[in-house]
Amino acid sequence: MANLLYQQIEMLSREKHIEPEVVISAIEDAMVVAARKFYKTEEDLRGKFNAESGQVDVHAVHTVVEEVTDPKREISLADAKKKNPSAEIGTEILTAKPTDVLGRIAAQTAKQVILQKVREAERDTIYNEYHTRAGELVTVIVKRAEGPDLIVDMGRTEARLPKREQSKLETYNIGERLRVVIKAVDRAAKGPQVIVSRADASLVQRLFEMEVPEIYDGTVQIRAAAREAGERTKVAVASRDKDVDPVGACVGMKGMRVQSIIRELRGEKIDIIPYNEETVAFAQKALSPAKVTRVQITDPENRKLEVIVEDSQLSLAIGKKGQNVRLASKLIGWDIDIKSEEEKRREIEEQMTALTAPTTPLTVLAGVGPKTIEKIEAAGILNLEKLASMTPEQLMEIPGIGEKMVDKIYQAVNRFYEGGDAAATPVETTDENGEETPAAEASAETATETGAAASGESPAEAASEPETSATTESASETNSEAAASTETETPAEQQEEKSS
């Protein structure tokens, strides 16, 4: 019986790839749980597997002390002497608990504990074995599908191929053999812990190592790789031997080596690029097959490049849906801003025009007070051209500028561009205290002082003179002159008339 039980333990150990001691420990713990549930005790119980008899014994453990404070876990020296004459302070006294009285419920509890312990030991074994093998190429067999994910058989254990790690253009059948790379090991996963991938760039690197002896022995090195699974991959290679061409070694005679990898990837395109330590030269090669005119580093800190290509090469450099420039950016590790010669020429012309074009100060705006101009200039708007190009929403973002003030600013800008003398007519001004005064009052005062200065009279006399002349004119003459003045009066005078 003992041999039969131990044989079962060894067989289970080999099947689950765990040590026999782990299974024995699980059986001992299960018997302790079953005994505690049957006896309903809080004593410190301990199980012991007897390899000779095949029996699992359960004992209650008590520690010998001088004064007992916890009878469930401690025993006095006098009582201990009765059970074991050689007992001393600090030793443990084991009291056997019968296990033949344990019923069906206790046995079921023990079974569940054993399965749980064995499962945990198996998961720990898998994690310890595979967590150091990330990036390794393995061959698996598609076993079943769980939603969008696939469960594959690795031989010793199962692995998960998530949807995000599958190639976009590939379909998989049950029983199909696949080459995958180990992506990670998820210890907290409920199902298979090992995550494998068909979309990772390291898969292409491992395939090159298998097909190209120069890469396997280290003569040629893969320095960088960028991939969009199912569509295109860019690989940068460098040679440690000046007599070995890295690109030619990877391509092989008549392309045999690279074609073997392309077949494994179901027709995915592969660009093999010579690696260069210089960023500018590397960027020119990375945008292959497009021909690059020049490359300029625009922001070294944020790793940004500006690439100029001919107009006919622009679409080729960008690629389908931006794929070529996106992969090149991943490959070199810099952000690439790609432009055609025509776009660059227009950009330079606009910059030169902006530098040489005259600017109009904001002070020419009639109807906008100095305080408002100060608020606009504080927001970085220093000329009329920039102000005219702004939207009402942008103007209202300036502190102190409301909806009514926005309307007033737009009216002033329109008056400036519609007529030259309208801009010189003040519609709004400030008093001695710096406060804005109504436009009508300012216009009336200005008109009175101007007329008085022209005739050499005082402002009061100039103001009374129109009334005297108006009483001596006939009704018809008055009406005709009023009609003529209505047709020729300026917008400022019309505004003054409406205000009065």
Side-chain angles (χ1 to χ4, degrees), residues 188-314:
K190 294 182 179 180
Q193 296 174 269
V194 182
I195 308 299
V196 295
S197 174
R198 282 279 298 178
D200 196 77
S202 60
L203 174 64
V204 181
Q205 298 184 40
R206 300 290 89 79
L207 291 174
F208 268 106
E209 291 176 0
M210 290 183 59
E211 297 292 338
V212 182
E214 289 84 355
I215 293 180
Y216 183 78
D217 63 20
T219 304
V220 176
Q221 295 178 327
I222 297 179
R223 302 297 298 270
R227 185 185 183 203
E228 289 190 1
E231 297 181 6
R232 183 179 291 272
T233 298
K234 287 182 179 289
V235 180
V237 294
S239 175
R240 300 173 63 183
D241 188 347
K242 63 180 181 180
D243 296 330
V244 176
D245 178 19
V247 176
C250 294
V251 173
M253 184 178 294
K254 297 182 180 180
M256 292 179 60
R257 292 176 176 176
V258 71
Q259 286 298 326
S260 175
I261 298 174
I262 291 175
R263 284 194 299 270
E264 174 64 30
L265 299 177
R266 315 284 177 89
E268 183 175 317
K269 298 178 179 64
I270 299 178
D271 295 337
I272 303 174
I273 299 165
Y275 178 79
N276 198 312
E277 294 288 348
E278 187 180 352
T279 303
V280 173
F282 190 23
Q284 290 179 333
K285 297 293 185 181
L287 286 168
S288 175
K291 296 180 180 180
V292 177
T293 303
R294 61 184 182 275
V295 179
Q296 181 179 0
I297 298 176
T298 57
D299 190 351
E301 294 183 359
N302 296 321
R303 301 174 69 86
K304 293 184 178 180
L305 294 174
E306 184 181 68
V307 177
I308 308 301
V309 298
E310 295 181 0
D311 297 348
S312 60
Q313 295 286 313
L314 181 61

Side-chain angles (χ1 to χ4, degrees), residues 340-400:
S340 66
E341 292 280 4
E342 179 65 21
E343 290 175 345
K344 187 62 177 178
R345 184 185 63 79
R346 288 200 301 265
E347 181 180 331
I348 295 175
E349 289 180 354
E350 291 175 359
Q351 293 176 353
M352 295 299 295
T353 303
L355 292 175
T356 58
T359 57
T360 306
L362 298 177
T363 53
V364 303
L365 286 178
V368 181
K371 288 187 175 181
T372 304
I373 292 177
E374 290 178 3
K375 295 175 183 177
I376 297 174
E377 290 178 343
I381 306 166
L382 305 179
N383 55 70
L384 182 61
E385 288 75 14
K386 187 174 181 180
L387 179 64
S389 65
M390 297 182 67
T391 63
E393 292 76 11
Q394 293 173 332
L395 285 175
M396 291 182 66
E397 293 178 358
I398 301 175

Side-chain angles (χ1 to χ4, degrees), residues 155-175:
R156 293 185 58 180
T157 185
E158 291 182 346
R160 182 178 297 274
L161 180 61
K163 179 66 176 178
R164 65 179 183 276
E165 299 297 341
Q166 299 174 19
S167 179
K168 298 178 181 178
L169 302 182
E170 292 181 354
T171 56
Y172 309 99
N173 301 317
I174 304 300

Side-chain angles (χ1 to χ4, degrees), residues 58-75:
V58 178
H59 298 86
V61 181
H62 294 82
T63 304
V64 179
V65 296
E66 294 182 356
E67 184 178 353
V68 178
T69 57
D70 185 3
K72 296 178 180 179
R73 300 177 182 273
E74 298 174 347
I75 187 173

